[in-house]
Amino acid sequence: MQPVGKTRNLKLLLQYDGTPFAGWQRQPQNRHQITVQGELEKVLCQVLQESIEVIGAGRTDTGVHAKLQVANFWTNSKISREKLHYVLNRLLPKEISIERIDEASKEFHARFSATARTYRYFLTTKKTALEHRYKAFYPYPNLSQEAMQRCADLIVGQHDFTSFCKASAPLKSKICTVQKAQWKKIGATFKFEITANRFLHSMVRLLVGTMLEVGRGTLTVSDFKRIFAAKDVRLAGASAKPNGLFLWHIHYGKRQPRLGEQSESEDSE
């Protein structure tokens, strides 16, 4: 919705290293915590000399990165996109990079206009000194890609993901439609990619953590299926480490029906 008195809707494409941030979302109750949204709003208010609220397509958690995050904000400023792009990249922390700024239609909303999101999780079974910020280290040399993929196949489609959502999440519906869930392996590196219309709080990390238990033989594929059906997060494995998780892509286009979905549940990882 267009704020009263605001004339321009600007769309940001950005990426960030989530290591130093307490997630995407501003934390009014914990003002000492540094967040990506908070840093963006602080710099935009300084540059544009007006109150700015930045809306993100995905609300990544503490330590989670974004290869591509989409955001929008309304402003009265007539500053050129080129100048704003330059100034933001000069003033923002080095861990945040603005890739592009576009004029958006008045209907565009980074969060509610999105039809799907893609996350990728990277882990390595070999300790690395140079990639530890972006790959989670798990010393499981015999991790079974085949077993983890069998688990991933089970989650494709429309399902209730209560078993893979933080119990404290105040959601009316925990139904999500997963379009893709795939494990790939190159050397000691495993990559899990998942695309869905929405994600619940810690959903990807809980899925990955539970699949890892299957991959290392602590659980079976049948155990995973039972946990999924039980709708009880207490049965899931431990959440995977945040440093391996990336918000990878935001999809826009024709919206598909979202059965049982509530708008307030978008999108926390």
Side-chain angles (χ1 to χ4, degrees), residues 8 11-12 23 25 40 57 59 70 96 109 111 122 134 141 148 186 205 222 226 231-232 239 252:
R8 293 174 77 191
K11 174 182 176 183
L12 302 176
Q25 194 167 9
L40 281 169
R59 294 178 290 185
V70 178
I96 303 175
H109 188 289
R111 181 175 160 201
F122 296 90
Y134 310 114
M148 294 191 297
I186 301 176
R205 290 171 57 200
S222 295
R226 173 181 53 80
K231 301 178 185 177
D232 186 348
S239 291
Y252 295 94

Side-chain angles (χ1 to χ4, degrees), residues 73-117:
F73 67 92
W74 285 86
T75 179
N76 286 321
S77 174
K78 295 181 180 179
I79 189 173
S80 71
R81 290 180 290 119
E82 293 77 14
K83 182 176 180 180
L84 183 60
H85 188 182
Y86 173 79
V87 172
L88 288 180
N89 278 335
R90 286 289 300 272
L91 297 180
L92 284 166
K94 64 181 183 300
E95 293 86 1
I96 303 175
S97 172
I98 305 298
E99 301 299 299
R100 203 170 80 199
I101 301 177
D102 294 325
E103 300 281 352
S105 69
K106 65 180 181 179
E107 293 83 15
F108 179 77
H109 188 289
R111 181 175 160 201
F112 295 138
S113 298
T115 55
R117 296 155 180 80

Side-chain angles (χ1 to χ4, degrees), residues 115-117 155-161 174-180 194-200 203 256-261:
T115 55
R117 296 155 180 80
I155 69 172
V156 174
Q158 187 179 76
H159 302 284
D160 187 313
F161 282 85
K174 296 182 181 178
I175 295 174
C176 306
T177 302
V178 174
Q179 300 159 13
K180 176 182 180 180
I194 181 169
T195 300
N197 66 330
R198 66 193 286 241
F199 288 88
L200 310 177
M203 177 175 156
Q256 300 299 316
R258 302 184 182 189
L259 300 181
E261 181 177 355

